[in-house]
Amino acid sequence: GQQLNQSPQSMFIQEGEDVSMNCTSSSIFNTWLWYKQDPGEGPVLLIALYKAGELTSNGRLTAQFGITRKDSFLNISASIPSDVGIYFCAGRFKTSYDKVIFGPGTSLSVIP
Amino acid sequence: NAGVTQTPKFQVLKTGQSMTLQCAQDMNHEYMSWYRQDPGMGLRLIHYSVGAGITDQGEVPNGYNVSRSTTEDFPLRLLSAAPSQTSVYFCASSYLGLRFYGYTFGSGTRLTVV
């Protein structure tokens, strides 16, 4: 079936560093989403992207919808301890409300 | 301002037992779904519903049953629990429309089958 690949699988960074992670697919999506999951909680939507090339920010987070529509990137600037968690990308196919595919996640640890 | 509410938060079952995981949303979302989350595998869709009286299977439906009698509620039933169903279960909901604004997730039910 369809799959999303996320990299890196996990990251350990110093507080204040910038973070980059990405998501790739063999399929074309018309919507990309990035979620964050805190321990013991459900995922929370960070950013939604709707157009190839789109660059969207949410505070210190910036995400981009890849030109090929098969990839997306998330950057976090000046990381802080509360950025710790698992970051999931998700892609949605056009006109298929049931076809949202989630990546396996990137686990982020921030060292104070 | 409840959003999506899941109960219980934790559950331990013996193999062969049945139970129902509850999910309720107060946002008048048409779409509701159940996912399971296992380490390294992301979120996998079990069942979903696009409105009261309408349900369909997702990627991993075997061993689970759903119904949707109201817009607000979407319970997930485990018919005969197996150790392979040990997982964290999330309920998610959204509006249906031309633009997808993403799912709202509940806080999850951690299920252990022994």
Side-chain angles (χ1 to χ4, degrees), chain B residues 46-68:
Chain B
I46 304 171
H47 285 286
Y48 67 96
S49 167
V50 299
I54 307 170
T55 64
D56 207 345
Q57 296 181 352
E59 181 186 354
V60 288
N62 292 339
Y64 308 96
N65 205 357
V66 292
S67 61
R68 186 140 177 229

Side-chain angles (χ1 to χ4, degrees), chain A residues 2 9 30-31 33 35 37 40-45 48 50 54 86 88 92 97-105, chain B residues 9 31 35 37 40-43 45 48 50 57 88 90 96-108 110:
Chain A
Q2 296 99 352
Q9 192 173 20
N30 81 318
T31 303
L33 307 131
Y35 283 85
Q37 184 178 25
E41 297 296 327
V44 173
L45 183 67
Y50 299 102
E54 180 181 353
I86 301 176
F88 291 100
R92 180 175 185 256
Y97 45 71
D98 58 323
K99 283 292 188 180
V100 175
I101 308 297
F102 285 85
Chain B
K9 185 104 175 142
Y31 181 86
Y35 284 86
Q37 183 178 32
M41 301 194 71
L43 291 153
L45 182 65
Y48 67 96
V50 299
Q57 296 181 352
V88 182
F90 289 100
L96 288 177
L98 288 177
R99 175 163 278 206
F100 179 59
Y101 293 99
Y103 297 140
T104 300
F105 283 88
S107 59
R110 185 174 293 274

Side-chain angles (χ1 to χ4, degrees), chain A residues 34-51:
Chain A
W34 285 92
Y35 283 85
K36 183 194 177 202
Q37 184 178 25
D38 291 326
E41 297 296 327
V44 173
L45 183 67
L46 299 173
I47 292 177
L49 302 157
Y50 299 102
K51 201 165 60 171

Side-chain angles (χ1 to χ4, degrees), chain A residues 39-77:
Chain A
E41 297 296 327
V44 173
L45 183 67
L46 299 173
I47 292 177
L49 302 157
Y50 299 102
K51 201 165 60 171
E54 180 181 353
L55 189 70
T56 297
S57 294
N58 178 5
R60 292 178 297 106
L61 278 62
T62 301
Q64 184 162 23
F65 194 136
I67 292 293
T68 66
R69 297 173 64 193
K70 293 183 178 181
D71 57 6
S72 180
F73 307 88
L74 176 70
N75 295 315
I76 306 172
S77 62

